[in-house]
Amino acid sequence: MNETHSTEPTSIASHKGDVGRFLATARREAGLTQKELASRVFVTESAVSKWERGLSYPDLATLGPLARALGVTEGELVSASADDRGRLDAQQARVHRRWRGALLWTTVGAYAVALVATFVTNLAVEHTLSWFWIVAAAVALAFSLTTLPLLVTGRRGWTTFAAALASLGLLLASIEALTSAGFLGIAGAAILFAVVVIWGPLALRSFGSGWLRTHSAMISVVVDAVALTLMLAVILGAVGQGRAFVEIALPLVAGGFGLAMVIVLVVRYLPLRGLHRAAIACLVGAGVAVFASPLVDVVLEGGPVVLAPVDLATWSDATVNGNVTALTAMAFIAAAVALVALSFVRRRPVDPAASDIVAV
């Protein structure tokens, strides 16, 4: 035991006193006598008395057993103060682990009971396994959304998403196999389109290389257009409207794809200042507001492009659509002009003489 009896700085003596008072308080709160504490940390009762009177420090080798005996941390012993924040964090961590364990085993047990019960019931009633596979796929989907995140550590979100998507596919396939409803292709195409649109850009940024991340916007537009085309082909083919897919769906998808590519190319790749690119995007918006509806009418009904009549002085049934379109286009154009003007204002050089006057 390292006991110091020589003359020492006031700060060290003061810290010894703080440690002694902290030890005495912690010992009383633990309900221990000096003799009981000494027996637990394998020192003499006299040593404990000297610690508490601030005459000496505990050895480093004694800190661990001493902290455990008093129910405090080694850091609290060294600093001679209660680490309330650390204790709260440790308590919350313990509560979280207990909650996590309880939720994990509760859900696993519930899913196991559901699977066993449906397995036995299906065999007992039909002497074969039929609707049990629907329940099993549904349980797998619930498991992937509730319990799997508690078990996975790395890439938890993507692992959960992949498991849930696979379980959903199995659920739809099992329902289709049991009912022969003929919806699996339509449902699968719709789910694929939603997955591509929502999760595709995130996947490119999470797993893609430098080139894929740089051009993720353009790649996303291309993939979205392909997924939309596939979905429309499956849906229209299932309802016997293959001709509508060729004559209507494909032109509309191609037009939307072209517009999206123009916006992406302007915003992402055009070598201009940000305000100028925003202004061009506003002009594109004005063109869409004016020509989108007439072009859709051409695809659906045939014939030439006919713009809606405009008369801002008269808001009748014949002119209301044209007036709204005109005002929308003018708002886009005004925004473009304002953005260009703002860009020139921001880049205008400062007159040195004027700056000197302001400084004075």
Side-chain angles (χ1 to χ4, degrees):
M1 185 165 317
N2 297 330
E3 301 181 2
T4 304
H5 300 284
S6 60
T7 304
E8 57 191 9
T10 306
S11 60
I12 297 179
S14 176
H15 184 258
K16 283 184 178 180
D18 294 338
V19 172
R21 286 187 291 271
F22 180 78
L23 286 176
T25 302
R27 176 180 58 78
R28 296 189 190 97
E29 292 179 352
L32 299 174
T33 64
Q34 289 184 347
K35 183 177 181 180
E36 291 171 338
L37 178 60
S39 65
R40 293 193 180 189
V41 296
F42 307 105
V43 296
T44 64
E45 184 178 353
S46 174
V48 174
S49 177
K50 290 182 179 180
W51 296 343
E52 294 186 357
R53 285 183 293 154
L55 299 180
S56 64
Y57 281 128
D59 287 338
L60 291 178
T62 313
L63 288 180
L66 184 59
R68 289 190 293 272
L70 296 177
V72 298
T73 66
E74 295 183 18
E76 290 175 322
L77 286 179
V78 173
S79 63
S81 62
D83 186 6
D84 295 330
R85 180 62 185 176
R87 292 188 180 187
L88 178 61
D89 292 341
Q91 180 183 6
Q92 291 177 344
R94 289 193 297 270
V95 171
H96 174 73
R97 286 193 296 268
R98 287 197 294 268
W99 172 85
R100 178 180 176 277
L103 178 61
L104 176 63
W105 290 111
T106 300
T107 54
V108 169
Y111 296 147
V113 170
L115 288 175
V116 171
T118 53
F119 180 85
V120 173
T121 303
N122 196 190
L123 283 180
V125 174
E126 299 185 1
H127 306 291
T128 186
L129 293 178
S130 56
W131 50 266
F132 164 77
W133 301 112
I134 298 177
V135 177
V139 168
L141 178 59
F143 175 85
S144 63
L145 294 175
T146 59
T147 308
L148 184 61
L150 300 176
L151 300 174
V152 179
T153 55
R155 292 195 178 274
R156 181 179 292 126
W158 285 108
T159 303
T160 301
F161 169 72
L165 185 61
S167 301
L168 179 60
L170 291 175
L171 177 61
L172 294 175
S174 59
I175 296 174
E176 175 67 22
L178 184 63
T179 62
S180 300
F183 69 90
L184 183 60
I186 296 177
I191 293 174
L192 176 62
F193 175 69
V195 168
V196 168
V197 171
I198 297 174
W199 295 94
L202 298 177
L204 287 174
R205 292 191 173 274
S206 298
F207 302 103
S209 61
W211 185 88
L212 290 176
R213 292 183 180 182
T214 302
H215 304 286
S216 60
M218 183 176 63
I219 296 173
S220 297
V221 171
V222 174
V223 175
D224 291 348
V226 173
L228 178 60
T229 303
L230 176 62
M231 183 184 70
L232 294 176
V234 172
I235 294 175
L236 294 176
V239 298
Q241 295 292 329
R243 183 176 179 181
F245 170 75
V246 175
E247 296 179 353
I248 298 177
L250 277 182
L252 292 178
V253 172
F257 170 73
L259 175 62
M261 286 299 295
V262 168
I263 295 176
V264 169
L265 292 175
V266 168
V267 174
R268 186 67 180 84
Y269 298 101
L270 202 62
L272 295 174
R273 300 181 65 190
L275 292 176
H276 292 167
R277 288 183 297 194
I280 295 176
C282 288
L283 294 178
V284 173
V288 172
V290 173
F291 294 104
S293 181
L295 291 176
V296 171
D297 291 339
V298 170
V299 174
L300 295 177
E301 302 175 1
V305 176
V306 178
L307 299 179
V310 177
D311 186 359
L312 297 179
T314 304
W315 289 77
S316 61
D317 293 340
T319 60
V320 62
N321 290 335
N323 290 347
V324 170
T325 299
L327 291 177
T328 303
M330 286 188 288
F332 274 117
I333 295 173
V337 173
L339 289 171
V340 173
L342 180 61
S343 69
F344 284 108
V345 170
R346 292 182 61 180
R347 67 184 300 181
R348 185 178 60 186
V350 179
D351 187 1
S355 61
D356 294 337
I357 294 174
V358 173
V360 172

